[in-house]
Amino acid sequence: MARLSAAGPLSITRLTAGADVTRQAITKHLNILAGAGLIRDIRVGRERLWEVETRQLEEARRCLDRISGQWDEALQRLKLAVEGEEH
Amino acid sequence: MNTSSTDRIEKQVLIKAPRKRVWRALTDTGEFGEWFRVKISGHFAPGKAISGPVLHPGYEHLTWSVTVEKMEPERFFTWRWHPHGIDPGKDYSHEPTTLVAFELEEVPGGTLLKVTESGFDKIPLERREQAFRGNSEGWSIQVGNIERYVSQHP
């Protein structure tokens, strides 16, 4: 994901180069990310390239931020509940 | 492959109380329900599924449901769940879950609680949209809840 963001559209061959995981593992991971709408594949000639779905990625970050905020609130309530009784 | 920045949430909070006390607040269903705002009963146990209604105003029609994975007393507590309120009439069993892990560490002054939720990249985006308790409007209500709690428990 980080490499696709930084380097732009890449083929599976380029993505596999230098990574210490198999092409199969990367393909599986790409399919999961695509299924989640975070990346998409495009065809350039005979090559299949993968690129980041920027809008979707922003959306995903926003969702995560919100869930993250909910954890903050929940943990704050936990802290108050546990520490509150010490006083 | 590295986990992407969209895949996980990591939190930590220092609680001025012994590990034993924090463990109880996490794993006693009554105490847990108080701060997590869910109505659950019974006991958490590895492999066990626990569910109950969400207590957030406006979200009471949703069910909170988790399956406990590991419980290592006063150290480690993990569960899997669907990271959004679920409609009790629907079957979500085939949908991917996220893993929530609570890790307790004794530190000077109390207990450091680390919380990690991971696996979001496998969750369809429209599901992530439905946050697990309430939405952004819900937050102003929550802030109100906290203020009330503080004023009642000085």
Side-chain angles (χ1 to χ4, degrees):
Chain A
M1 194 84 202
R3 286 192 56 204
L4 281 181
S5 302
L10 289 175
S11 67
I12 184 81
T13 315
R14 293 268 319 271
L15 277 167
T16 315
D20 52 3
V21 286
T22 62
R23 187 188 171 104
Q24 202 178 12
I26 289 187
T27 304
K28 194 177 162 196
H29 189 74
L30 289 172
N31 284 326
I32 289 170
L33 291 173
L38 296 175
I39 62 171
R40 63 176 170 195
D41 60 327
I42 43 173
R43 296 233 168 233
V44 179
R46 282 163 58 187
E47 222 179 5
R48 187 183 185 195
L49 301 180
W50 292 89
E51 69 176 4
V52 173
E53 277 270 19
T54 316
R55 198 181 55 79
Q56 293 284 79
L57 189 62
E58 281 165 12
E59 191 60 40
R61 291 218 172 100
R62 247 199 323 276
C63 288
L64 217 61
D65 282 349
R66 197 163 58 224
I67 296 172
S68 176
Q70 293 175 339
W71 272 115
D72 286 338
E73 303 279 359
L75 293 177
Q76 200 54 36
R77 282 198 303 269
L78 166 65
K79 183 178 163 74
L80 288 171
V82 171
E83 291 180 355
E85 65 197 28
E86 308 286 307
H87 301 296
Chain B
M1 201 167 209
N2 289 334
T3 319
S4 80
S5 59
T6 49
D7 190 63
R8 64 166 54 213
I9 290 171
E10 286 175 339
K11 297 279 159 196
Q12 55 180 49
V13 59
L14 174 68
I15 299 174
K16 297 185 201 91
R19 225 158 25 130
K20 193 177 175 178
R21 176 68 195 90
V22 177
W23 180 254
R24 200 173 77 225
L26 287 175
T27 57
D28 176 288
T29 45
E31 286 206 26
F32 179 89
E34 284 283 318
W35 64 270
F36 213 90
R37 297 284 159 84
V38 290
K39 192 179 178 191
I40 47 172
S41 55
H43 297 282
F44 286 118
K48 190 174 169 185
I50 297 252
S51 63
V54 170
L55 294 180
H56 276 273
Y59 295 87
E60 295 94 338
H61 60 291
L62 296 175
T63 298
W64 183 87
S65 174
V66 305
T67 302
V68 177
E69 290 218 328
K70 291 179 191 158
M71 287 181 86
E72 204 180 301
E74 296 178 29
R75 287 264 171 219
F76 203 54
F77 178 39
T78 65
W79 79 58
R80 286 200 162 272
W81 71 345
H82 300 284
H84 47 81
I86 64 170
D87 176 344
K90 286 184 190 159
D91 177 20
Y92 296 89
S93 54
H94 61 287
E95 291 197 5
T97 52
T98 55
L99 178 70
V100 174
F102 297 91
E103 207 178 331
L104 286 72
E105 192 189 324
E106 207 166 283
V107 293
T111 304
L112 184 65
L113 174 66
K114 292 181 189 168
V115 183
T116 312
E117 179 167 9
S118 58
F120 285 103
D121 280 353
K122 290 180 186 166
I123 308 291
L125 206 53
E126 66 271 19
R127 284 264 179 265
R128 275 182 258 180
E129 257 302 294
Q130 310 162 359
F132 67 89
R133 292 157 286 146
N135 55 20
S136 48
E137 284 135 46
W139 292 115
S140 47
I141 298 169
Q142 291 232 5
V143 172
N145 283 342
I146 290 170
E147 282 164 6
R148 261 199 305 283
Y149 192 96
V150 174
S151 60
Q152 286 161 9
H153 302 74

